[in-house]
Each structure stands twice: as structure tokens, then as C-alpha cells.
Amino acid sequence: MTIYGLKVLVVDDEIAIQRFLRVALNGQGFIVSEANTGQAALQAITLNRPDLVILDLGLPDMDGIEVTRRTREWSKVPIIILSVREQEDDKIAALDAGADDYLTKPFGMGELLARIRTVLRRQSTVSSEPVITIGGLVVDLANRLVTMNGAEVQLTPTEYDILRLLVTNAGKVLTNRQLLKQVWGDGYDDLHILRVNVSNLRHKLEPDPSRPTYIHTEPGVGYRLKSLL
Amino acid sequence: MNSRPDPDELLKTIQAEEPARGKLKIFLGYAAGVGKTYAMLEAAHQRQEQGVDVVIGYIETHGRKDTEALVNGLEILSRRQVEYHDIKLPELNADAVIKRHPQLVLIDEFAHTNAPGSRHPKRYMDVNDILDAGIDVYTTLNVQHLESMNDVVAQVTGVVVRETVPDRVLDEASEIEVIDLPPDELLNRFQEGKVYVPDQAQRAVEKFFRKGNLSALREMSLRRAAERVDTQMRNYMRTRAIQGPWGVAERLLVCVSPSPLSEKLVRTTRRLSDELNAEWFAVHVNLTSKPELNPANVERAAKTMQLAEELGARTRTLTGRSIPETVLAYAKKHNVTKIVVGKPIHPRWMEMLSGSIVDQLIYASGDIDIYVINEQPDLKPTKIPEELRPHQPYRRYLFALFMVVLTTFIGHFFHTKLEPVNLVMLYLVSTVVAAIYLGRGPALLTSFLGVLAFDFFLVPPYLTLAVSDTEYFITFIGLFLVSLVVSTLTARTQEQAEAAIQREAHTSALYTLGKDLTSATDLHQVAEIVINHISHGFGRDAVIFLPESGKLKMYAATAGYVPDANEMAVATWSFEHDQPAGLGTDTLPAASLRCQPLKTARGQIGVLGIHSKEDGKSLSPDQRQTFFSFANQAALAVERASLAEQARQAELLQATEKLQTALLNSISHDLRTPLVSITGALSSLREESLNINQEDRKSLLETAYGEAERLNRLVGNLLNMTRLEANAIHLRLEPCDIQDAIGAALDQLEERLGKKPIVVTIPEGLPLVSLDFALFGQVLVNVIDNAIKYSPKDTQIEINVTETDEEIDIQISDRGIGIPEEDLEKVFDKFYRVSRPESVNGTGLGLAICKGIIETIGGKISAANREGSGTVITITLPKVSES
């Protein structure tokens, strides 16, 4: 996967942040354009069709979550949220609105670049590969077969559904609500059952369930399958 | 001899000279018409010319032209109109005076009695208020209105003066001017009609205005004034330690009994003490062997004692087994030189039986002189008020009669079978029964009638009062005497039992109040308990007023009762003047609320009120005493509670101050240190002349980045703390897998953990716990981070989860240096950091935040030291909402 020449739209009203993002992303080979209001961002997304949007939540004219929601009405462009808001409610709201990832300011550039790479890779591999391999974990989507270090792992249908969602969105945080909705269907919000299933899944997959290496918990938000090991 | 001024005396004199209170000048005359008002007005004009702000508070010119002329040119304050029986009575308006606040106010007729419904019954009390407000007062007074002169004047002139002022008022006056006029001249003026006399009193006044009377009064007023001058002189000499011509200080003691005549004794002693310039004591003895049971007597003795106090005595109620012994013991202890007692008025034979107190006193007095004063009844002996007479329903006597008839019937039935001597026993029984159940009078009636009936019906010859055998007379006398003794004893026992019951009720009421109050921790509870006890104990509404920012406000009251504005005024007056007020007192007696100031050693702290529900009946003496004791207890409790409250506030304030200081320190140090490093590193990199090599560059950048992260952590912690303190954290409870939470925490700490060994032990099948996952995760991160920070690199951290029926314990143990025992509690305090080598830095907020969060969730967190070395932090979570 090459990132050279990909267009990134940075939406932030802080000049200092825009500046260092531009320097760092240019250095990585991205073509960077900027917007400092929600309106300008929506316009730029429509006109320039960027390959990636880095979006601040606290914009002067409208909330970043609103920008995400309007964008998602017609576009699947990956959106990474950068925000000083660290409350779980904000993260969940952004992710549920359709953001691909959420990073709390202040952040390390290394972390941001890793997230960008994950998002872009997922974009390019979505539903094209029938077999996904992450470390020792191999999930054969076509045959509903899961192996860990070569040994087959027996999963219940629910556990498999959860794993499938996590694997196909590897690297992305899936909120509890998204998981519940997609596995159990609309109107189902019993977190209890999700927790129990994830716990079981971990016991079957993880070498040490107390220090999981595959399925990570984002406290208060949801789960994420580590994409690279 | 020690000739240094006595500090106490000095202080007293200085207090008398204290300018804060207004000065009182009394124009003292001996009769109406001597020209007091005129003299006062003249003096006022002089003062006004000197530039003093003078107003007239109340002046009666009685239509005298020359006096009226003097009123001109002085500001006159409006009077208060009090309506009484459709008549409008003008009264001094003390409030208006205080509001106008002149330097000097003129108020005529010092001894005037105010119209009913006024705040104070007497004008001199109003004047007292005005003086308290720092206003000087000129007033006029006739000598016969002085309390101690009252009875002498009555004896001399035959006129009883009702309007009196206590003698101490005269003593407290800064200045006295005697307005003198020879009696002949006054009589001339009187005959010329220049002396104002109300029409209805014409005859009485004519009787009064005789030369003999006037001369006597004149002498009295002159003597009284002379005495005062003498006293002032002595005071002067005393303050300057001048050895005076006076001999050994005399000290008088007067014995007060419940007798209505004691009042006269007290007045006499006051005069005696004035003449001798002696200190005097008034003593009342409660006998333990024969306690005073009649409430009327108790009340009268208390009143006499109060009078003595008003007249300047030091009063003391003593308890002892015999009056002479107790009095003499007290007298000797206080170096009393003379004891004043009343001449006994009992018949001689009674004294021979019980021994005369006077004789005993004289016998044992030693150095002390005994003055025996003739206790002649006054012109008008105090009447016992109607309601205080013993209750004597005639039915009891009817019952007694019926019993005698019944006994006689029974006796008649048996008289053929029994000897008359044994039939007497029947009458004896009926007498005893009457004594027990009907009281003393009916018992006596029973015994008397019994003797008659016995003689008439059962002793031969029957149906006559004649007696055949004279031996029966002995039987009669025996029966009568036995009845008398039995009934007296029984009645006495009965009375004592009743008194004991009452005392018991009083004591137990106080006891339960005291007991309940000890359990009260705050002011609110104290108030509630006091209110409850009074409401139940007295069957009346109770209310507590406490000052709030200088103004008295209702603090608590019986449910449904709210004091009205009048009652508020009573309470306020009581509070400001530190005296009882309202129903049954001297001040505002028309109110239906009785107020008692709550007083402690530190001054008055509030007012306790009791409100009679509808009948407007004041409290009985017994109830009053209980109420007084309640007020004392309540005062102590309220004080205790408010002191505790203050202490809490102070502690809180101190804690806040400490927090602020700590916060400032923390901000200045912890926020700046990373900034120093970051700025230093970055500015070094920017400086091209420095020629930093690649390796150093990298190291500088690492430093800057690390410090930035540290700064971020600190800011995060401060924000979290602020949220916790502001209660701005909204819990998002969700079922939570403890294992998951620990995993997530370790995940976040991955970098900091490095290769440090961690052992996690979690039992199988641990239930989910309802928690705020994110907050709880943060707690785990903070605690584990501490464990990493404070333990050597390669030592192991253990996380142990255990489960009981109701709780889940999570123990995070390290092998660090541990926490000093005395700091184990404090480590959870904000900005508290165990003194440690400088190598470890932290904000002192981490554990405080943990504690805040865990407590918000409903759990507990504690620290302990491990055996060997290291620390264990235990987090206990309730398992409640697992279902």
C-alpha cells in the first residue's frame, strides 16, 4: 500500500496544530489541504474528495461530530478524530456517527501515523480478502474457520460473529453499541451478554486473558482488534 | 495593710466612668411642686448653650407658665399613644429617642408606671434602654418613689406609693441634684394652687401636704443625697488607695424566709447597709429535713430574694439541716459582722417546743452581732392571690361525713357482740382512711364526728352525749389525739410524696433531655430535641431563636407554630437585654410567648420561647423552674453544637487553605518543571551556534517529549480532581468484567511496564460488576502506575482478585519501600506525598483521585504495608447490581 500522493484534509482551527500536521504529513508524502471551519471542511470534502480526513471536534461554527454525520450521508472517506475531549461519551458519539478512529490530544505523531496507516489499509482490504491473518490468528471468512497458531478454535455462532466484525474492522474501535447492533440486531442493548461473549472469546484465543494481545478493550467505549502484531 | 488599689474595685469604678453608656442625672425632690422639672429644663438650656444636642423625650408641665416658657426652644419628640380602655394615654417613646439619638434627652417622672401593653411596665426601664444606647438622660424623681424608702414614707405619711424605682438606679446615676425648697414655701405654693394635683386625688394630696410630712420627706431626700456624696467620696479615696477614716468594713447578712414580712427585713437591711456603707448579703435557707412544699411560699421567698438583689444585696440560697447552723457557717465564711433577723411572730409555746431560731442564732453567733427587727405587718400585708389558696372542695367533707355514718352503722351492728373499746378501732380506721384519701381537714372532721357518734350511739347511755363511765373520756381523748397525729402525719407524707413526684418529674424531664442532647451532634438536632421535649413536657409550643448575622431569627419551632411579629419583638428584646421577657415577666407581659435568654459563660447565644396555646395562662412556679433548667441545658447544648460547627468550619477552611497552598505549590513546581525542560531542550535545538551532535539532539528531543507527557498527565489529573470535587462526574454504570478492566489497564501501561513481571490471579467465574468502566480503569491505571513507580525495576507486581458473598477485593501489591505507618491513611489525601527521595516525582493527586472515584462508585480503597516490604492497595467493590 502506498500513501504517496494521497490527499489528506486537516480540519482544525489551531494554526500551530495545522502547521505541525502539515510538516509531518508532507514528510510522509501526503498532499495536505486545510480547513478551519466545519462548513469549509464539508465543502472541501465535496470538492477535493480527500482520501483521508483528520478532524477536530471543537470547530468554531459546528461540532466535528456533525461534520462526520453529514459526510457519512454520502461518503465513506476515512475520518480520524483529533480532540482534547477525553470523555468516553464524546468518543462513543464520534465513533457512532461514523468516525473511523479517535485520538485524544495531545498525541504523539508516531501514534497518529500508525492510526492513519491502519485506517487506510482497512479501506483497501475491506471485504476483498476471504482469509485474514493477524499474528497467530487466522480467520477464514468463507469457511467460518478460526485457527490459532494452526490449531482450530471452536466458537459459538455469536462468538464467531463478534470475532468476524472485529477482524474485518481490525485496528478500528467498534463501540459496544455497534457490536450489539450488528451481532444481535436493533434494539438490543444488553451489555452483559456482550461482555460474557467477549470474555469467552478471549479465553479461547488469548494465551493470557488477563493481558490480551488480540482483542483490546477501550474502557467505556468498546473493543478493537489489534491489526499488527 | 495593703494600700494598693484593689484591681476589682478599680475596674468597677472605671466601668462606672465608661463613656459608652449614657450618663443619668437625677433631679431629686421630696414632693411634687419643689421645682424639679423647672430645674431640669434650666440645666438643659445651659447644656444646649454649650452646644449639646438636647431634646425633650417626655415633659409634664402641668400647665405651669414658667415651666412652659422653658420648654420653648427645645426640640420635643413625639409621644407614644397607648390606647387603654378607650382612653389614649401618652407615653414616652423610647424607640423614637434612640432613633433620634441626641446627646441628651429630658425625661420627666422617672418612677412613672407605663400604660398596660407597653414594652416595659416602668419608665425607668425605658430609660435604661436609652442609657444603653449611649444617650445621656436628665430625669426627675421624688424621694418617696425609692424602693427602700417606700415603707418608711408609708409609715410617716400614711400614703402607700405604688410607683417605685429600685435604689440601685440612684446608685447608678452619675449625678444627683437635690432640688430643695423649705416646706413652708412649698405649702404656700400648694395653697396658691401652684402645685399640680389631679382632681381625683385632691383629698389624698391634702392629707399628704402637711408640714410634718414634708419635713420628714425633705430630711429623707437630703440624707439620701448626702449618703451618696459620701459614697462617691469613699469610692474616690478607695481608687486612689487613700487610707480613709472608715473602720473595719461592715458586712451585713439578712435572713429571708417565705414570710411576707421578710420584705421589710430586706428593706431595713438595705438602709442599715447604706448607713454603715457596708456590703450586704441576703440568705435564704432550704431545709433538707423540712423542705418547703407550698409553691406560694417558694414563690414569695424567691420574690423577696429578687427584691434584695434589686436593692443591691448579694443573694444566696443555701441548703442545710438547720437554719441557724447554715446561716452562721455562711456568715463566718464571708466575714459577716452583723446578722439581721426578724422577731419571731409565732406564739411563745411553739417556740418552746421547737426552739427559737433567734435564740439559737444568738447563742452560737460568737463575734457576730445579731439584729432582731420587729416584723410588724405592713400597712397593707401582701394578699395571697386567689389561685394560690389551697384547693378545698366541699365534697371531701361530705365524704368524711358519710364515712362516719357508715362506721356508726357497722358499729351499731356489732355493738352487742363487741366491747365499745374495740368499736373505737372502727373509727380509728375511718380516720386513717380519711387522712390518706381525703386530706387533713376531712380527717380531723372524721375524728371529731367519730368521737361524737361513738359517744352518742355506741356508749351507754345510748342516744345521749352523756357518759355513764368516765373512763370513756380517756377513750375519747385517745381517739381524738390518735386521729390528729395520724391525719397530720399522713397528710404530711402525702404532701411530701406529691412534692417528690413533682421533683421526680422535673428531674427526669431534665435527665431525659440531657441524655438526648448528648447524642445530638449538630445544631439542628439539638434544636429539634429541645423543641420536642418542651412541646411534650409542657404541652405548649416551643421555639428557638438564634442570632444570624447580628439579627435574631427563628431557628426551629414546634411544627405548625410560627411566632408573629410581636412575639419576634419579645424574643429580640429578651436577647438584647439578656433578660426573660413576655408572658409572666416584667417586660411585655401581654405577649403569649415567654422568652428566656440562652446564656452561657460566653454570653447570650439565643432565646428559648414557650408559647401558651390558647388560654394565655402563664407557667406555674414549678413549671417555670423546669423551663429555666431546660433553657440552661439547651444553652449549653446549643453552645456545644455551635462550637463544634465552628470547629468544623475552621477545619474545613484550614483544609481549603492548605489545599489552595498545595495547589499553588503544585502548579508552580509541577507545572513549571516540565516546561523548563521542554523550553530548555527546544531552545537548545533552535540555537544553531551550539553545534549539537546527532546523539545529543535525540536525547534532548526525548527529554522534551517525556516532559510534555508528564505535563499532560498532571493536567489530566488536575482536571479529574476538579471534576470530582465539583461533582461533575456522571457515572455511566455498565456491567464490567474485572479481568477485562485489569487487562485494559495493563494495556495502557504497557510502555511503562516494560519487562516488569506482573502476576494476575483471578478466580474462575467471577461475576460482572456494575461499574463505570472508564473511571474504574483509570483507578487501576493510577494504582498500578504507583506500584511501578515506587518499586525496584525487576521486582514483581501482583494483582489478586478475591470474591466474597457481597464484595470483590482487588489487591495490587508491590515490593517497593512501602508507606510509613502514620501515612497510610493520608496517602489518599490531596497533594499528600510521602516524603521520599527526589528520584520519584508525582502530583500527589493520583491516589486522591482513585479514592474519589472508588467512593463515587460505592467502593472502598485502602493502603497497607506488606510483610517483608512493599505496599498493598486494596480496592473493595460491592457486588450489588450484578443481576
Side-chain angles (χ1 to χ4, degrees):
Chain A
M1 182 191 66
T2 173
I3 52 176
Y4 196 82
L6 288 179
K7 288 181 282 181
V8 178
L9 175 66
V10 174
V11 186
D12 203 308
D13 57 332
E14 284 286 333
I15 306 279
I17 294 173
Q18 277 187 6
R19 187 183 299 152
F20 83 75
L21 282 176
R22 170 179 280 272
V23 170
L25 294 173
N26 272 340
Q28 289 285 312
F30 288 105
I31 299 164
V32 181
S33 59
E34 281 138 2
N36 45 24
T37 63
Q39 283 300 341
L42 286 171
Q43 212 167 2
I45 293 167
T46 322
L47 296 175
N48 301 344
R49 300 293 180 96
D51 299 296
L52 175 73
V53 178
I54 293 174
L55 177 64
D56 181 26
L57 287 187
L59 295 172
D61 57 340
M62 70 169 82
D63 199 286
I65 292 173
E66 185 58 29
V67 177
T68 309
R69 196 170 291 131
R70 291 205 199 163
T71 306
R72 277 288 170 266
E73 283 171 8
W74 62 277
S75 166
K76 283 189 172 172
V77 59
I79 299 176
I80 294 177
I81 304 285
L82 280 185
S83 174
V84 285
R85 298 187 204 162
E86 51 178 357
Q87 300 292 59
E88 286 65 35
D89 289 336
D90 295 311
K91 293 183 190 172
I92 294 168
L95 294 171
D96 280 347
D100 290 80
D101 210 339
Y102 191 108
L103 210 55
T104 315
K105 290 178 187 171
F107 53 90
M109 193 48 78
E111 176 80 12
L112 176 64
L113 291 174
R115 301 279 179 104
I116 291 175
R117 258 180 246 121
T118 308
V119 167
L120 289 176
R121 186 184 321 115
R122 191 169 61 238
Q123 185 77 1
S124 62
T125 57
V126 157
S127 66
S128 56
E129 300 238 358
V131 178
I132 297 168
T133 307
I134 295 162
L137 175 70
V138 178
V139 182
D140 183 345
L141 295 172
N143 299 309
R144 293 176 73 96
L145 193 70
V146 179
T147 57
M148 174 54 77
N149 298 328
E152 190 183 333
V153 183
Q154 293 292 334
L155 296 180
T156 65
T158 311
E159 286 162 11
Y160 177 80
D161 283 347
I162 295 171
L163 184 62
R164 182 176 54 80
L165 276 170
L166 287 170
V167 172
T168 50
N169 290 289
K172 182 182 174 182
V173 180
L174 293 176
T175 65
N176 294 330
R177 196 185 305 163
Q178 285 169 340
L179 282 168
L180 281 167
K181 188 177 162 188
Q182 294 192 38
V183 175
W184 283 274
D186 265 334
Y188 211 91
D189 58 356
D190 186 6
L191 257 181
H192 196 262
I193 199 160
L194 176 65
R195 296 270 185 250
V196 171
N197 274 292
V198 171
S199 176
N200 290 342
L201 201 50
R202 275 192 181 136
H203 277 93
K204 289 175 182 176
L205 297 177
E206 302 280 1
D208 178 3
S210 296
R211 298 192 65 179
T213 43
Y214 293 94
I215 306 170
H216 288 263
T217 305
E218 291 285 320
V221 181
Y223 297 93
R224 174 212 302 269
L225 195 86
K226 271 252 166 121
S227 58
L228 283 173
L229 280 171
Chain B
M1 272 288 294
N2 185 359
S3 64
R4 270 191 328 153
D6 179 349
D8 284 341
E9 290 288 344
L10 212 55
L11 192 66
K12 264 192 220 164
T13 320
I14 290 167
Q15 274 164 350
E17 286 165 6
E18 191 103 50
R21 197 176 135 94
K23 284 184 179 151
L24 177 68
K25 178 170 182 173
I26 297 176
F27 292 83
L28 185 69
Y30 66 88
V34 294
K36 298 181 299 291
T37 309
Y38 189 85
M40 177 168 80
L41 282 166
E42 265 187 343
H45 276 283
Q46 270 176 21
R47 294 293 302 274
Q48 197 180 35
E49 276 160 29
Q50 289 163 13
V52 176
D53 179 16
V54 185
V55 303
I56 292 177
Y58 190 99
I59 291 274
E60 270 315 336
T61 58
H62 300 303
R64 285 180 216 133
K65 291 259 158 48
D66 42 358
T67 314
E68 264 168 12
L70 274 176
V71 168
N72 289 335
L74 289 173
E75 180 186 343
I76 303 175
L77 291 182
S78 66
R79 294 173 181 188
R80 202 160 46 90
Q81 298 291 337
V82 179
E83 214 162 303
Y84 182 67
H85 289 312
D86 296 334
I87 308 168
K88 281 203 172 161
L89 298 171
E91 291 290 353
L92 165 70
N93 192 344
D95 290 339
V97 174
I98 293 170
K99 205 175 153 213
R100 163 69 176 77
H101 216 283
Q103 281 168 286
L104 173 64
V105 62
L106 310 183
I107 296 165
D108 217 354
E109 292 178 26
F110 195 41
H112 173 76
T113 298
N114 287 337
S118 301
R119 178 184 302 155
H120 295 294
K122 300 284 191 181
R123 180 171 292 163
Y124 76 83
M125 295 173 171
D126 288 331
V127 169
N128 200 35
D129 290 356
I130 294 172
L131 289 169
D132 276 343
I135 301 167
D136 292 347
V137 177
Y138 279 7
T139 189
T140 61
L141 180 71
N142 280 332
V143 71
Q144 67 263 35
H145 294 298
L146 278 174
E147 183 86 55
S148 69
M149 291 289 159
N150 195 349
D151 52 348
V152 182
V153 171
Q155 272 173 14
V156 173
T157 64
V159 175
V160 181
V161 179
R162 295 234 165 270
E163 304 192 322
T164 58
V165 294
D167 289 46
R168 65 178 158 79
V169 179
L170 198 65
D171 296 341
E172 280 164 18
S174 312
E175 225 179 305
I176 291 179
E177 189 169 331
V178 179
I179 309 302
D180 193 31
L181 189 73
D184 288 331
E185 219 163 296
L186 179 61
L187 278 173
N188 280 340
R189 292 187 61 176
F190 178 64
Q191 270 141 28
E192 286 163 21
K194 281 185 181 166
V195 176
Y196 167 77
V197 171
D199 294 343
Q200 65 270 29
Q202 193 71 36
R203 283 193 48 171
V205 169
E206 270 168 20
K207 201 171 128 198
F208 184 83
F209 272 88
R210 287 187 191 141
K211 193 171 174 191
N213 283 351
L214 293 176
S215 300
L217 285 170
R218 185 184 183 205
E219 192 194 325
M220 269 184 232
S221 72
L222 290 174
R223 252 173 65 181
R224 202 70 183 73
E227 273 166 24
R228 218 195 99 99
V229 172
D230 202 30
T231 315
Q232 275 175 344
M233 181 67 195
R234 279 162 207 261
N235 275 347
Y236 176 82
M237 294 179 85
R238 206 171 293 161
T239 43
R240 284 152 186 83
I242 300 166
Q243 286 295 331
W246 55 84
V248 187
E250 295 276 8
R251 283 179 166 202
L252 304 184
L253 183 147
V254 58
C255 303
V256 172
S257 76
S259 154
L261 306 176
S262 276
E263 237 180 74
K264 190 185 163 186
L265 269 189
V266 167
R267 290 184 206 281
T268 311
T269 313
R270 153 83 197 200
R271 277 199 300 276
L272 208 58
S273 78
D274 274 359
E275 277 158 25
L276 295 168
N277 197 41
E279 195 177 359
W280 64 295
F281 300 82
V283 167
H284 173 64
V285 180
N286 276 330
L287 284 181
T288 47
S289 53
K290 197 182 138 197
E292 185 56 64
L293 300 167
N294 186 342
N297 284 346
V298 175
E299 177 82 357
R300 205 162 37 234
K303 254 198 166 144
T304 312
M305 292 295 274
Q306 201 184 338
L307 173 78
E309 204 169 343
E310 272 174 24
L311 291 176
R314 279 163 65 177
T315 59
R316 183 73 199 274
T317 301
L318 304 169
T319 308
R321 287 197 343 205
S322 110
I323 293 175
E325 260 176 41
T326 316
V327 168
L328 281 172
Y330 183 82
K332 281 180 181 148
K333 201 174 143 204
H334 289 84
N335 298 323
V336 167
T337 53
K338 293 177 168 53
I339 295 178
V340 181
V341 285
K343 197 169 168 181
I345 47 171
H346 307 295
R348 183 83 182 127
W349 63 268
M350 258 175 97
E351 272 191 6
M352 290 175 86
L353 282 178
S354 60
S356 150
I357 290 170
V358 175
D359 283 350
Q360 287 174 40
L361 266 180
I362 293 170
Y363 187 74
S365 61
D367 291 343
I368 303 173
D369 301 335
I370 308 287
Y371 283 30
V372 183
I373 306 293
N374 189 11
E375 286 191 272
Q376 276 303 315
D378 280 348
L379 286 175
K380 285 190 177 172
T382 327
K383 253 188 167 181
I384 305 170
E386 207 69 34
E387 65 270 20
L388 292 179
R389 277 195 189 134
H391 199 51
Q392 293 178 332
Y394 64 98
R395 278 181 184 221
R396 296 183 178 196
Y397 290 93
L398 275 184
F399 244 110
L401 191 66
F402 172 72
M403 283 216 323
V404 174
V405 173
L406 188 73
T407 312
T408 310
F409 265 111
I410 297 169
H412 191 70
F413 183 72
F414 285 114
H415 89 279
T416 47
K417 301 175 187 102
L418 289 175
E419 283 291 309
V421 180
N422 290 329
L423 290 172
V424 165
M425 292 303 152
L426 286 176
Y427 288 98
L428 207 55
V429 169
S430 65
T431 309
V432 172
V433 170
I436 292 171
Y437 293 106
L438 303 177
R440 194 172 176 158
L444 288 177
L445 182 73
T446 311
S447 74
F448 182 70
L449 292 179
V451 168
L452 289 183
F454 176 58
D455 180 12
F456 197 72
F457 294 108
L458 303 177
V459 174
Y462 301 115
L463 298 178
T464 69
L465 285 176
V467 178
S468 57
D469 190 339
T470 44
E471 266 183 39
Y472 282 116
F473 279 115
I474 295 172
T475 315
F476 294 160
I477 291 167
L479 175 60
F480 191 72
L481 279 183
V482 168
S483 304
L484 194 72
V485 171
V486 167
S487 63
T488 310
L489 281 180
T490 322
R492 174 118 209 133
T493 315
Q494 200 78 6
E495 277 172 16
Q496 266 171 353
E498 269 165 30
I501 288 167
Q502 230 163 37
R503 265 203 306 278
E504 165 67 21
H506 175 85
T507 315
S508 80
L510 271 184
Y511 172 72
T512 49
L513 175 69
K515 206 175 70 176
D516 284 4
L517 281 177
T518 49
S519 69
T521 50
D522 60 23
L523 201 54
H524 200 77
Q525 281 180 6
V526 166
E528 202 176 320
I529 288 167
V530 172
I531 298 282
N532 266 343
H533 276 263
I534 293 182
S535 311
H536 290 138
F538 292 85
R540 291 167 184 235
D541 291 333
V543 55
I544 289 180
F545 303 91
L546 295 180
E548 199 185 301
S549 54
K551 228 183 144 214
L552 201 66
K553 294 224 169 86
M554 185 186 107
Y555 184 78
T558 311
Y561 168 65
V562 179
D564 60 26
N566 275 336
E567 287 159 0
M568 251 346 271
V570 173
T572 307
W573 191 90
S574 166
F575 182 69
E576 279 168 5
H577 295 77
D578 195 12
Q579 278 168 30
L583 186 64
T585 67
D586 278 349
T587 307
L588 300 167
S592 50
L593 186 72
R594 181 193 175 94
C595 286
Q596 180 77 34
L598 297 176
K599 246 190 291 192
T600 65
R602 292 158 14 111
Q604 62 264 52
I605 50 171
V607 171
L608 178 65
I610 184 163
H611 180 262
S612 72
K613 271 175 182 153
E614 66 272 331
D615 49 3
K617 242 179 134 178
S618 61
L619 298 173
S620 74
D622 271 346
Q623 283 180 319
R624 214 171 304 162
Q625 215 178 345
T626 311
F627 180 57
F628 185 69
S629 311
F630 266 48
N632 278 344
Q633 285 239 13
L636 289 176
V638 167
E639 186 187 41
R640 185 165 55 86
S642 50
L643 282 180
E645 187 82 11
Q646 277 171 23
R648 257 203 299 276
Q649 291 288 347
E651 209 171 284
L652 203 69
L653 199 70
Q654 213 178 7
T656 317
E657 272 168 14
K658 209 166 127 194
L659 179 68
Q660 280 168 346
T661 321
L663 186 70
L664 283 175
N665 285 343
S666 185
I667 285 172
S668 60
H669 178 262
D670 294 346
L671 281 180
R672 275 223 181 105
T673 315
L675 278 175
V676 170
S677 311
I678 296 166
T679 321
L682 292 179
S683 58
S684 308
L685 288 171
R686 199 172 62 170
E687 201 61 53
E688 281 166 17
S689 63
L690 280 181
N691 278 330
I692 302 165
N693 66 30
Q694 198 60 33
E695 201 177 318
D696 291 341
R697 236 170 219 289
K698 205 179 162 201
S699 137
L700 281 175
L701 282 170
E702 288 293 328
T703 309
Y705 188 68
E707 289 300 300
E709 278 197 318
R710 179 173 147 198
L711 192 58
N712 185 38
R713 268 203 306 280
L714 173 65
V715 172
N717 274 340
L718 283 172
L719 283 175
N720 277 329
M721 199 68 233
T722 316
R723 272 191 210 120
L724 272 174
E725 302 232 301
N727 271 331
I729 287 196
H730 304 290
L731 287 184
R732 287 200 315 131
L733 297 179
E734 53 186 88
C736 178
D737 183 354
I738 299 287
Q739 188 172 35
D740 196 356
I742 293 172
L746 292 176
D747 194 22
Q748 277 189 52
L749 288 165
E750 206 169 5
E751 257 177 63
R752 291 181 55 73
L753 270 170
K755 293 222 154 55
K756 203 174 174 68
I758 289 224
V759 178
V760 183
T761 323
I762 296 175
E764 284 292 320
L766 195 69
L768 301 184
V769 182
S770 177
L771 282 179
D772 186 311
F773 199 145
L775 287 178
F776 181 63
Q778 204 178 353
V779 171
L780 288 175
V781 167
N782 278 348
V783 173
I784 299 170
D785 187 42
N786 271 349
I788 299 169
K789 261 200 293 203
Y790 294 114
S791 63
K793 223 172 193 177
D794 48 351
T795 56
Q796 177 174 288
I797 291 176
E798 290 158 34
I799 302 175
N800 247 312
V801 182
T802 49
E803 181 190 1
T804 65
D805 285 348
E806 280 141 24
E807 292 167 341
I808 290 178
D809 281 345
I810 303 159
Q811 292 187 315
I812 295 115
S813 328
D814 63 37
R815 279 291 173 200
I817 43 176
I819 300 167
E821 280 300 319
E822 66 270 21
D823 287 343
L824 281 175
E825 290 276 324
K826 295 185 198 154
V827 289
F828 295 102
D829 292 350
K830 268 169 294 187
F831 299 112
Y832 190 85
R833 281 151 82 177
V834 178
S835 44
R836 284 242 166 86
E838 282 299 310
S839 61
V840 184
N841 56 50
T843 56
L845 277 173
L847 284 179
I849 291 171
C850 291
K851 190 176 188 214
I853 293 175
I854 290 293
E855 284 178 353
T856 316
I857 293 172
K860 279 178 288 190
I861 186 166
S862 63
N865 281 321
R866 281 179 93 182
E867 245 174 76
S869 72
T871 311
V872 193
I873 302 283
T874 307
I875 300 168
T876 307
L877 299 170
K879 258 160 77 174
V880 277
S881 42
E882 193 247 315
S883 50

